[in-house]
Amino acid sequence: MLAHPALHRSRVNRRLADAVRGLPGITLHDLYAAYPDLDVDVEREKTLLTGHDALVWQHPFYWYSTPALLKEWQDLVLEFGWAYGPGGHALRGKPFLSVVTTGGREVAYQHGGFNRFTVRELLAPIEQTAYLCGLAYLPPLVVHGALRLDEDEIAAQAEFYRQVLIALRDGRIDPASVADRPSLDAGTFALARG
Ligand SMILES: Cc1cc2nc3c(=O)[nH]c(=O)nc-3n(C[C@H](O)[C@H](O)[C@H](O)COP(=O)(O)O)c2cc1C
């Protein structure tokens, strides 16, 4: 699932999306394209979720969180009795991955740094939401310093993202083996694949 409110102006998310678009077995669901009026079709979204074995959220970091439409999606789609609570097992066991691009550099997302917390720590509400829904949470794939990346660096990040999604699709990532890592970087990814 992709959430970027101005994809035509994006440098990084657009390239990440292009890298995975059309991969067999992977649906690139562009939320802002699907719902330009921010009017989320809950039944359509539930059908999409039921029809897939893993869930990936790709988005820029906006105020240490998701763009607004992805928050709206959470509020509407993750229903009591469906996603959590009694009988709410629809998502149970599916791997979940956040793919986040940040304006801030990696050094800014450390204790004592400009943003004081790691990206994984700042994503705690999403991690706990995933936990509540029984999803198998993976450490986030973070593209730091998105505004400063040159062409080659963006291409390398896009290729890494493509490889991670292929491995996820093929069931070659074991969430338990990397559960405590701060992020899904190349080293963690190697671990995750066993
Ligand atoms: C409304 C808004 C909020 C933002 N909040 C943050 C933030 O909290 N932390 C951060 O590192 N960057 C923040 N940024 C920068 C974006 O994350 C950055 O521009 C984006 O990841 C670049 O990706 P793109 O080229 O695909 O747009 C924000 C940008 C906007 C427009």
Side-chain angles (χ1 to χ4, degrees), residues 4 9-14 60-64 101-104 109 115 146-147:
H4 194 302
R9 284 206 302 267
S10 157
R11 283 185 73 229
V12 180
N13 278 279
R14 190 158 46 84
F61 219 19
Y62 277 6
W63 291 111
Y64 308 106
T101 66
T102 71
Y109 283 101
N115 293 306
L147 308 169

Side-chain angles (χ1 to χ4, degrees), residues 27-166:
T27 305
L28 180 68
H29 181 39
D30 180 341
L31 268 194
Y32 279 91
Y35 306 115
D37 301 327
L38 313 185
D39 188 9
V40 175
D41 180 339
V42 174
E43 290 311 313
R44 177 185 174 198
E45 294 303 309
K46 285 161 87 172
T47 302
L48 273 169
L49 286 168
T50 307
H52 290 78
D53 298 327
L55 175 57
V56 177
W57 289 359
Q58 183 206 320
H59 61 88
F61 219 19
Y62 277 6
W63 291 111
Y64 308 106
S65 186
T66 69
L69 182 54
L70 186 47
K71 180 59 167 62
E72 175 79 348
W73 183 98
Q74 295 168 54
D75 297 350
L76 295 177
V77 178
L78 301 179
E79 283 177 352
F80 179 76
W82 187 82
Y84 70 101
H89 305 149
L91 304 176
R92 188 154 291 178
K94 298 183 197 242
F96 173 88
L97 174 66
S98 272
V99 179
V100 178
T101 66
T102 71
R105 279 189 275 200
E106 187 164 8
V107 68
Y109 283 101
Q110 291 176 8
H111 297 176
F114 186 77
N115 293 306
R116 306 201 298 133
F117 301 94
T118 67
V119 172
R120 177 158 182 177
E121 287 168 344
L122 291 162
L123 290 172
I126 291 174
E127 179 167 349
Q128 175 55 21
T129 297
Y131 178 81
L132 184 70
C133 296
L135 290 157
Y137 189 79
L138 283 157
L141 193 169
V142 186
V143 180
H144 283 105
L147 308 169
R148 295 179 184 82
L149 295 180
D150 66 27
E151 272 299 304
D152 290 349
E153 289 166 330
I154 295 173
Q157 295 287 350
E159 175 58 19
F160 179 59
Y161 178 39
R162 197 179 76 88
Q163 298 209 1
V164 168
L165 284 207
I166 290 170

